[in-house]
Amino acid sequence: MPRHVLVPVDGSDRGFAGLEYCLASFPDASPIALFVADPARDHTATVGSSESTAERAKERGQRVLERATERADERSRELRTELRTGTPHTEILAVADEEGVDHVVLGSHGQSPITRPFLGHVSEAVVRRSSVSTTVVPETTAAIRDRDLPGEILVPLDGSEQAEAALAYALETFPDASHTAFHALDLPFDRPRSQVEGTYLEAILEDRERRAEEILESATRLADERGTTLETETATGAPATAIVERVESGGYDQLVMGSHGRSLAARLFTGSVAERVARRSPRTVTLVRGAPV
């Protein structure tokens, strides 16, 4: 269960949706709302001296943090606030390190002409560089408020330690949720089973199916140890695409999955699927780094 949660807010509805998710999902956590005044990108500032622009950016930040405090008050929650000046993602990561934060929750912004929800440059940088687990909220504040969190959670599994850590996080953090473990059969061919029977491709298919069965059986044992019921599902397709399609079609409320480790090799390999899912998912995505504390 996260204890020290950082929630960057920028005055947008998606930013406040991240705060709404944090307050609803982590009732025992100590949240910090952070606004980073970036005079170079503050479009509300009028033309004038650099000092005037910086002051206007800070004033706007104060107003945003006051609104964040009001939202926390509505839930009878205490909220620390922090105002920084600089490059947003750099300051977010710095505050997370300085304050001993164990979780970051932030809204995603912008629209891609290719995919539907798409991370903004700040969210993207935080997701890639954060050393702690991160939750990305692509939904509106109203949608988060209407959702009965934690709800139904989809946990994609691939047999890695990071994926197992994600499942443990979901089971321990949200014991009252409905959990489903999901494995995507990533096959090197696109043919129905009837066309691969009796060929060398059948052996590949059977090997992947055995691997999926082992992964989901291990997940079920992990849930049993915690006295939790776990549903299991499989689907065929590239992992990122299959995960997003299952979230869309299954009516899930959020998604929890393992992310990359700190090494460069791990970031390049396992991080790519997690980041693609975070970019495309219509539901909130938590990327878990390491075993839960």
Side-chain angles (χ1 to χ4, degrees), residues 155 157 164 167-172 175 177-181 215-232:
V155 185
L157 300 175
E164 185 172 295
L167 178 59
Y169 169 92
L171 295 174
E172 294 173 10
S178 298
H179 303 87
T180 299
I215 290 172
L216 295 178
E217 286 179 351
S218 176
T220 301
R221 288 194 297 271
L222 187 65
D224 289 343
E225 292 171 0
R226 290 162 171 76
T228 304
T229 300
L230 180 70
E231 300 294 329
T232 60

Side-chain angles (χ1 to χ4, degrees), residues 2-280:
R3 296 295 181 186
H4 305 286
V5 183
L6 179 65
V7 187
V9 292
D10 59 2
S12 69
D13 182 74
R14 297 296 171 87
F16 284 123
L19 178 61
E20 194 71 30
Y21 175 88
C22 172
L23 296 175
S25 301
F26 310 131
D28 298 324
S30 299
I32 304 172
L34 168 69
F35 182 94
V36 181
D38 184 5
R41 295 181 178 273
D42 194 318
H43 303 297
T44 65
T46 58
V47 177
S49 67
S50 58
E51 181 180 359
S52 175
T53 301
E55 289 303 314
R56 288 178 181 273
K58 290 181 180 179
E59 290 172 3
R60 177 171 176 269
Q62 291 287 7
R63 292 193 297 271
V64 170
L65 292 175
E66 288 172 3
R67 290 166 58 194
T69 300
E70 290 171 358
R71 291 171 182 259
D73 288 343
E74 291 173 1
R75 289 182 172 270
S76 299
R77 294 285 300 278
E78 292 187 5
L79 178 70
R80 285 180 53 197
T81 60
E82 182 86 16
L83 177 62
R84 293 287 188 99
T85 300
T87 303
H89 74 266
T90 300
E91 295 302 319
I92 291 169
L93 296 171
V95 172
D97 182 60
E98 294 167 11
E99 297 290 340
V101 165
D102 56 22
H103 202 98
V104 177
V105 179
L106 70 167
S108 63
H109 301 278
Q111 292 291 330
S112 163
I114 300 175
T115 60
R116 194 168 51 256
F118 190 79
L119 293 179
H121 70 282
V122 174
S123 303
E124 187 95 27
V126 173
V127 165
R128 288 187 172 184
R129 302 178 187 181
S130 174
S131 61
V132 299
S133 298
T134 306
T135 295
V136 179
V137 182
E139 303 176 76
T140 65
T141 301
I144 294 296
R145 284 182 172 176
D146 291 342
R147 200 172 302 291
D148 187 18
L149 295 173
E152 297 188 17
I153 302 176
L154 185 70
V155 185
L157 300 175
D158 61 2
S160 67
E161 291 183 357
Q162 284 291 309
E164 185 172 295
L167 178 59
Y169 169 92
L171 295 174
E172 294 173 10
T173 304
F174 306 116
D176 298 327
S178 298
H179 303 87
T180 299
F182 175 80
H183 179 75
L185 291 167
D186 190 9
L187 302 173
F189 54 84
D190 184 19
R191 300 182 188 180
R193 191 182 193 93
S194 60
Q195 292 184 13
V196 303
E197 291 179 350
T199 71
Y200 75 95
L201 295 177
E202 184 176 15
I204 297 176
L205 175 60
E206 290 178 348
D207 178 69
R208 300 292 171 87
E209 289 177 336
R210 281 195 299 270
R211 177 61 174 156
E213 185 176 351
E214 292 172 357
I215 290 172
L216 295 178
E217 286 179 351
S218 176
T220 301
R221 288 194 297 271
L222 187 65
D224 289 343
E225 292 171 0
R226 290 162 171 76
T228 304
T229 300
L230 180 70
E231 300 294 329
T232 60
E233 295 181 357
T234 60
T236 302
T241 300
I243 292 167
V244 173
E245 289 178 350
R246 190 69 197 106
V247 169
E248 291 179 325
S249 64
Y252 291 96
D253 295 292
Q254 58 179 311
L255 193 159
V256 176
M257 64 186 300
S259 185
H260 53 67
R262 298 189 181 186
S263 71
L264 177 60
R267 287 175 183 270
L268 294 177
F269 182 67
T270 61
S272 60
V273 172
E275 289 175 11
R276 284 198 294 272
V277 171
R279 292 188 192 108
R280 302 173 185 175

